[in-house]
Amino acid sequence: MTSSFFALHRQGFVRVAACTPRIAVADPARNARSTLELMRAAADRNADLVVFPELGISAYAIDDLLLQDALLTAVDAELASLVAASRDLPSAFVVGAPVRRQQRLYNCAVVFCRGRVAGVVPKSFLPNYREYYEHRWFAPGAGLAGLEIELAGQRVPFGVDLVFAASEWADFTFHVEICEDLWAATPPSTQGALAGATILCNLSASNAVIGKAAERALLCAAQSLRCQAAYVYAAAGPGESTTDLAWDGQATIHELGVALAQTERFPTASQMAITDVDVERLRAERMRTPTFDAAARAAGHPERAFRRIAIGHTPNDADVGLIRPIDRFPFVPDDPDRLDRDCFEAFNIQVQGLRQRLQATGLQHVVIGVSGGLDSSHALLVAARTFDSLGLPRGNILGFTLPGFATSEATRANAWALMRALGVTAAEIDIRPAAQQMLADLEHPFARGEAHYDVTFENVQAGLRTDYLFRLANQRRALVLGTGDLSELALGWCTYGVGDHMSHYNVNGSLAKTLIQYLMRWVAARGEVDAATRDVILAIVATEISPELVPAGAGGALQSTQDVVGPYELQDFHLFYITRYGMRPSKVAFLAWHAWRDAAREPWPPGFPAASRRAYDLATIRRWLAVFLRRFFAESQFKRSALPNGPKVVAGGSLSPRGDWRAPADGNANAWLAELEANVPAE
């Protein structure tokens, strides 16, 4: 598959466009020309599915003109011309038009591809209140199933029981509903999703009034989230009659509740929203969510009642890029408002978790090892806020710095500065004498004066630190507050048992390293600490991530965690997509490459230092992804099988055996490494 690695179709994406053509009132010929122009433009951009507004061939707001035979005959002719024009275009199209059948007129969506009409879907729910009078002209489609219609010289399926599927592309399936259908208590698209459609299309002509855009966005987002689908909404816009109404013409595309693309409101010309929808992710999300299947069961398995209509659309192996927003930091959104909300929630979830644990145990003290590094400093900030919320003095927080053989003066100074700034009870225990004695008891070469820095040398120090903390907690009737984070747990970068792996309660266990960096910046920026504390926090965030267990090299360089386990910004990316969505490694690499290949691509998370903006080529991504897979699947599950308690903070961001992740401790990474090797180019 490496030859098609860069092809979005082979990575599970469908390119979808929602179009708003400029139309003319009751002029099917002009409207068909505007529609065809956008059909060709979308095809030129390699769109797979192109959705147009409700009644776009006739126009929507034409009232009793909808019952004029001259107009309806012209609509039929123009539909036939559009179907014929689609023979040379690679896309599937969904166009809105009034359609006659059995002495009735229906408000319909016509689906066609490669010169063939795949089916016609009538609108189920006709609004007939306030400004709407659709029952005056149309018959409702609700309940119509198993029928056919003659259209464009073809006999084709007709009804609300249609799901359309690419014949050679299992995950590319879509359902169509029309405008008011979404506003109904039981949107037809819900049944379509339960019948297997991953993309839900809405052809709309909903007029604009104050507040309606927000309502529409809420409905589209909610339906895409509830149905675990993409929701494509194409709205009528410029050219519609404004005799009594106005139109904002905004097209939107949502996936799992997130807006991927949208056009401007109130345009004066034709517009198109286009993006790549991850139908593979949607299918996988439904598989891992039993509630979706339970809903299908409760509804009597709608797939039995729906006709699955094949469309002649096949995957393309060409590299046509990727049109889709991808955060470099999936745990740290680029949007400033969302990032602020996420940080607020994350910090307060941590505080609430620790507060409840202290109240449940009756303890009024915590013991925490403060290294001057990122994780312990953040846990200390959480503890300070927690004690404030409980009305307990911060002096009840017992902070200990425990310098070892490689502790730098900078981190030690930061630890002391932060403890003093926060007003906690601070102390220092030098672990070197105890570590020296243990190494001597083990007959370790370091005890004889040799510069021998193996894992035993490192873990003697890590274990002693935790041992001291537990004994201090016994002595002071306190709870040992853990500091290790999600990224370290994923990579197994923690000393098992009596080491930084263990504590009485860990507030950081569901937080990725990259999110903790931003949480600390967020605390510093909100004005809740004084200037001196803020400066200490920012200095800690800027410090090289290091366990400080091995003395600095000849050049004075600190031991670097990321030199061993990989850049946390990359490994957190891999962690998110593999554990949250179960994606195959080659797809994770594809997404990482698009996210990280160009440092100049905007946006970056707000406030991210320009000097720290990096790019990674595919070979580098492949290398570190292999490290992640090996460490995650083959080497470190036993540590995650025995985790201390701690609150889940991020969706999909818990590796606790009592939470999101359950796996055998004696597994291996063979299948994942083989998939990576076979499907990701080495160069």
Side-chain angles (χ1 to χ4, degrees):
M1 180 180 156
T2 53
S3 62
S4 57
F5 171 80
F6 299 100
L8 66 91
H9 292 167
R10 297 300 179 181
Q11 300 295 353
F13 292 94
V14 172
R15 183 158 295 173
V16 176
C19 298
T20 300
R22 180 172 183 84
I23 65 163
V25 174
D27 192 338
R30 288 176 61 185
N31 295 339
R33 286 196 296 271
S34 295
T35 298
L36 183 57
E37 287 177 4
L38 279 174
M39 285 170 57
R40 288 172 173 161
D44 287 343
R45 297 186 67 181
N46 299 287
D48 301 299
L49 177 62
V50 187
V51 182
F52 288 88
E54 177 181 16
L55 298 177
I57 304 304
S58 61
Y60 177 84
I62 60 174
D63 299 332
D64 289 352
L65 300 185
L66 286 163
L67 298 176
Q68 291 287 310
D69 273 351
L71 179 108
L72 296 175
T73 299
V75 166
D76 290 345
E78 296 304 334
L79 280 173
S81 71
L82 291 174
V83 172
S86 72
R87 289 193 187 99
D88 300 322
L89 300 177
S91 314
F93 302 99
V94 188
V95 170
V99 175
R100 292 172 288 189
R101 184 185 184 279
Q102 293 286 86
Q103 298 87 50
R104 300 179 184 88
L105 184 66
Y106 294 94
N107 181 343
C108 291
V110 181
V111 180
F112 55 95
C113 179
R114 296 285 191 179
R116 187 179 74 84
V117 178
V120 179
V121 180
K123 187 174 183 177
S124 290
F125 298 103
L126 304 178
N128 221 65
Y129 53 87
R130 294 194 291 272
E131 65 264 45
Y132 302 113
Y133 295 91
E134 287 194 32
H135 276 287
R136 181 180 177 95
W137 311 297
F138 298 114
L144 297 181
L147 303 176
E148 292 184 328
I149 189 173
E150 291 282 345
L151 188 71
Q154 304 173 36
R155 189 158 187 82
V156 301
F158 177 89
V160 296
D161 59 336
L162 307 182
V163 167
F164 303 90
S167 53
E168 299 180 34
W169 197 347
D171 294 329
F172 180 14
T173 55
F174 63 94
H175 174 272
V176 181
E177 64 186 5
I178 301 174
C179 199
E180 183 76 5
D181 291 346
L182 176 60
W183 271 260
T186 55
S189 57
T190 301
Q191 297 296 304
L194 294 175
T198 54
I199 301 172
L200 311 176
C201 307
N202 188 308
L203 291 69
S204 178
S206 182
N207 62 298
V209 294
I210 292 173
K212 195 169 187 179
E215 176 186 279
R216 179 180 64 217
L218 179 64
L219 286 170
C220 291
Q223 190 68 350
S224 72
L225 184 60
R226 182 182 297 110
C227 292
Q228 296 179 309
Y231 200 87
V232 185
Y233 182 95
E240 277 285 358
S241 172
T242 57
T243 299
D244 292 301
L245 305 172
W247 316 88
D248 72 354
Q250 185 176 46
T252 62
I253 304 172
H254 287 77
E255 179 184 307
L256 290 177
V258 176
L260 297 184
Q262 62 183 22
T263 59
E264 296 295 323
R265 298 186 67 202
F266 304 106
T268 57
S270 298
Q271 290 194 125
M272 179 194 306
I274 189 166
T275 191
D276 295 328
V277 168
D278 192 345
V279 291
E280 190 175 77
R281 178 175 79 137
L282 296 173
R283 183 256 302 157
E285 191 73 349
R286 290 175 178 182
M287 286 175 57
R288 66 166 44 83
T289 311
T291 306
F292 186 86
D293 177 64
R297 289 171 182 268
H301 288 290
E303 63 187 283
R304 297 172 179 166
F306 273 76
R307 289 176 282 174
R308 191 177 180 93
I309 310 301
I311 58 171
H313 188 73
T314 57
N316 183 354
D317 281 344
D319 178 4
V320 296
L322 187 68
I323 306 173
R324 180 181 176 89
I326 306 176
D327 288 339
R328 291 177 175 87
F329 300 88
F331 294 104
V332 183
D334 294 332
D335 178 68
D337 291 337
R338 184 181 162 205
L339 179 56
D340 182 69
R341 291 194 302 270
D342 285 3
C343 288
F344 170 83
E345 287 186 317
F347 194 68
N348 282 282
I349 289 169
Q350 292 180 281
V351 169
Q352 196 273 341
L354 180 57
R355 182 172 62 233
Q356 168 61 18
R357 180 51 55 97
L358 289 171
Q359 289 174 322
T361 60
L363 298 174
Q364 296 190 355
H365 294 79
V366 297
V367 165
I368 179 172
V370 184
S371 67
L374 198 68
D375 296 338
S376 63
S377 298
H378 180 67
L380 185 60
L381 292 170
V382 171
R385 172 69 69 81
T386 302
F387 275 64
D388 291 347
S389 72
L390 288 169
L392 295 173
R394 290 186 178 182
N396 286 15
I397 302 170
L398 312 177
F400 291 87
T401 180
L402 301 140
F405 297 116
T407 300
S408 69
E409 188 52 41
T411 55
R412 179 174 172 272
N414 282 340
W416 272 105
L418 185 61
M419 289 190 290
R420 287 173 176 145
L422 293 176
V424 307
T425 299
E428 181 170 298
I429 297 176
D430 187 344
I431 68 166
R432 287 173 294 181
Q436 183 73 31
Q437 181 60 53
M438 182 175 286
L439 290 167
D441 293 342
L442 296 173
E443 298 182 355
H444 190 277
F446 180 81
R448 299 192 297 270
E450 298 178 27
H452 189 79
Y453 308 128
D454 60 3
V455 67
T456 303
F457 175 80
E458 295 187 50
N459 283 348
V460 161
Q461 298 171 78
L464 278 171
R465 285 181 175 133
T466 304
D467 201 1
Y468 271 113
L469 294 175
F470 271 100
R471 303 296 76 78
L472 287 162
N474 294 154
Q475 185 184 52
R476 315 291 172 87
R477 187 168 168 71
L479 176 148
V480 175
L481 186 60
T483 62
D485 65 46
L486 182 71
S487 308
E488 294 176 342
L489 289 169
L491 293 161
W493 194 249
C494 51
T495 301
Y496 182 72
V498 184
D500 53 327
H501 164 263
M502 191 48 62
S503 62
H504 288 130
Y505 195 77
N506 183 7
V507 292
N508 286 346
S510 181
L511 293 181
K513 186 80 74 176
T514 48
L515 178 54
I516 288 179
Q517 290 173 321
Y518 263 86
L519 273 169
M520 292 188 66
R521 290 192 182 103
W522 179 82
V523 171
R526 282 178 62 89
E528 297 184 11
V529 294
D530 59 30
T533 307
R534 183 190 64 230
D535 291 343
V536 174
I537 291 172
L538 296 178
I540 290 169
V541 172
T543 300
E544 171 70 35
I545 298 172
S546 170
E548 293 194 328
L549 295 171
V550 173
L558 288 175
Q559 177 189 17
S560 172
T561 298
Q562 297 180 98
D563 286 347
V564 178
V565 301
Y568 275 117
E569 55 196 14
L570 265 188
Q571 300 297 39
D572 280 357
F573 190 97
H574 301 152
L575 165 66
F576 179 83
Y577 284 103
I578 286 172
T579 61
R580 174 65 182 86
Y581 294 113
M583 289 183 181
R584 50 193 162 79
S586 60
K587 184 166 183 174
V588 176
F590 174 81
L591 291 171
W593 180 68
H594 276 284
W596 285 99
R597 61 178 173 162
D598 181 8
R601 180 184 68 85
E602 295 288 350
W604 287 82
F608 193 88
S612 299
R613 298 182 178 186
R614 302 178 185 85
Y616 297 100
D617 60 23
L618 185 57
T620 302
I621 291 168
R622 188 179 190 266
R623 172 196 168 199
W624 288 119
L625 180 51
V627 170
F628 179 90
L629 296 172
R630 190 164 48 250
R631 295 186 70 98
F632 183 81
F633 287 106
E635 298 176 0
S636 56
Q637 178 57 38
F638 74 98
K639 297 181 181 181
R640 297 188 292 270
S641 296
L643 289 182
N645 294 170
K648 176 179 175 179
V649 178
V650 179
S654 171
L655 295 177
S656 167
R658 302 168 297 278
D660 289 357
W661 187 256
R662 294 164 177 81
D666 53 359
N668 62 76
N670 295 342
W672 291 267
L673 291 169
E675 200 279 340
L676 179 72
E677 178 74 20
N679 297 320
V680 180
E683 298 296 334

